[in-house]
Amino acid sequence: MPVEPPNDVLAHHQQVEHDLRRKAETAQLLLDAARYLGETLEIERVYDRFHELLADAIQHDGVVVSSFDERESLIRCEYAWVEGEHVDPATLPELKLSTAGGMQSEVIRTGRPLLENDVGGRVAGDEGGTFYDVDREGTVRKLPDTGPTHVQAAMMVPIKDEGRVVGVVQLMSDERTYTEDDLELVEGLVGLMAGAVRMARLETERRRAEASEAAAKAVAAEREQEARLFKAVGDGIFYVRREGVVRFWNRSAELITGLSSEDVLDRAAAEVVPGWAAIAEQVAVTEDDSVPRVARVPVEVGGRELWLSFVAVGRPEGVVYAFRDMTAERELEQAKSDFIATVSHELRTPMTAVYGAARTLLRPELDLSSEQRTELLEMIATQSERLAQITEEVLLASRLDRGEVTVERDRVDVGELARGTVDAMQPHLGAEVTLDAPQSAFATGDRDRIQQILINLLDNAAKFSPRGGGITVSVSQDADHVRLAVADQGVGIAPSEQQAIFEKFYRVDPHLTETPGGTGLGLYICGELAGRMEGKIAVESEPGRGSTFVLELPRSRTAE
Ligand code: ADP
């Protein structure tokens, strides 16, 4: 017959069984809660679910979840539900962590939960426990200052993150008291909720980081495109910050000034930008949306004077400058105005002579001898020829510019052409011309144009030999080329001018060389014509000793 266990043993067993069941139930509840909370990554939904779970597990009339900001020592409400109503946490005031009394503050300070089954008694008691009570309208009352509370019991559980208290959950009941078991359960749920909130925060952060990375990438791409654009534009662009330091220097700025961005960036503009003082003084900075004003400033770069046209636009942090090299345009403008002055002068001289001679011939009272008449008529003839020549040069230069001049590709015997031309020109040149040419030297080109070049070179040789001296015309050839050279013993040309004399309208100052003027078009025309025949023209000269101009043409390939 089985022995009945004694009563106290039975009671003990029942207690153990009850405890185990309760623990199992709690474990099951927490497991379900973990799953349920883990399903969302939205913080508000985590709070809602947390509250749903609480509602199922423990009777309460209010719950407030607060976060604690350690740096500012502030307690902020994150979620509140009171007597069946949600209260917007944003409407609740932030509370300063107090060093005495407050129950929330105590939990935060100690990191331990609090269970108070006589809230009214506690706040009224000697310890002076402060308690914040929230009603369904969201009105916060600080107890005991504002009178008695209807709250009976409260549980305060710390929310922890890696051991640090980051918030408090406050659970209140108006009608019942709470047990240690209740507190244990709430602690378990709060732990799970804290984990879910942390995950949700990380997710929010991740999304925010992703969004800001995307935004940063978009800005970077835009910047890159802008930078590429700024790099590619033909205008020099640079940016000077308010404190005077250069922060941007594009490729064109490098090309125009010859200064690399490494030389300039992060340095004071006044130190590194050529002519900065003049630029800053003369270029007006446009601050609003109006059209920027252009200022032309001469700037000395690498020993050369450049004319740069600047505009400047103000930015909040500095000024963006854009500039363009207008040197060529300016030189052309200069040359044009020089040309007008020159041509007018050049035309006036022969015209005055023709006019004077004609008037003299027409005066009936003057009894002119026939030699005198012939002399005057000859003067009219030469000066008219000079007038025609100038007009011809101007017209030809403009036709060359417009691409209207074509040249023949004939087989031309340059030796023979030189002989004929020298014979014809000799009487008019007033200088002794020596010819050194083989019987024949065949080039490919345009006979008339080659002759025109030779006449021009002979004219110049005589014109720029004011103290006389012989002229030598020589023709030579090698496997590929035929060369026609005209050498004089005249004033010569300074090395710095030897390139420029082939430019349109370019003339060495006649006052310096004491030589007659001209239009500055002759050598330009010669160079252009030579180029069109696939040849070239060059000069070698020593000032004071003479010059040698050489026209080089391709040698004719057809049978000789
Ligand atoms: P122009 O003779 O009408 O002035 P060119 O184009 O023929 O124009 O010549 C340009 C300049 O080159 C001249 O003004 C002169 O200064 C220089 N030049 C040309 N040929 C000679 C030369 N044989 N000796 C010295 N200087 C010359």
Side-chain angles (χ1 to χ4, degrees), residues 315-335:
R315 310 290 310 149
E317 291 303 316
V319 179
V320 176
Y321 291 87
F323 64 99
R324 196 170 283 186
D325 186 0
M326 302 298 281
T327 315
E329 283 82 349
R330 185 171 165 99
E331 278 169 1
L332 194 64
E333 268 171 33
Q334 190 66 42

Side-chain angles (χ1 to χ4, degrees), residues 456 460-461 463-464 488 491-493 501 506-508 517-524 547 549:
N456 212 311
N460 278 352
K463 192 160 81 174
F464 297 106
D488 64 52
V491 293
I493 303 154
I501 53 170
Y506 192 90
R507 297 159 65 232
V508 179
T519 57
L521 285 172
L523 287 177
Y524 169 72
S547 317
F549 284 84

Side-chain angles (χ1 to χ4, degrees), residues 84-126:
E85 296 284 341
H86 278 116
V87 178
D88 180 0
T91 61
L92 299 179
E94 293 174 343
L95 301 173
K96 197 86 185 152
L97 180 76
S98 81
T99 46
M103 286 164 76
Q104 265 192 342
S105 297
E106 188 182 325
V107 172
I108 290 169
R109 279 199 318 273
T110 61
R112 281 198 302 275
L114 256 183
L115 197 166
E116 181 55 66
N117 278 322
D118 179 14
V119 173
R122 177 182 171 122
V123 296
D126 294 341

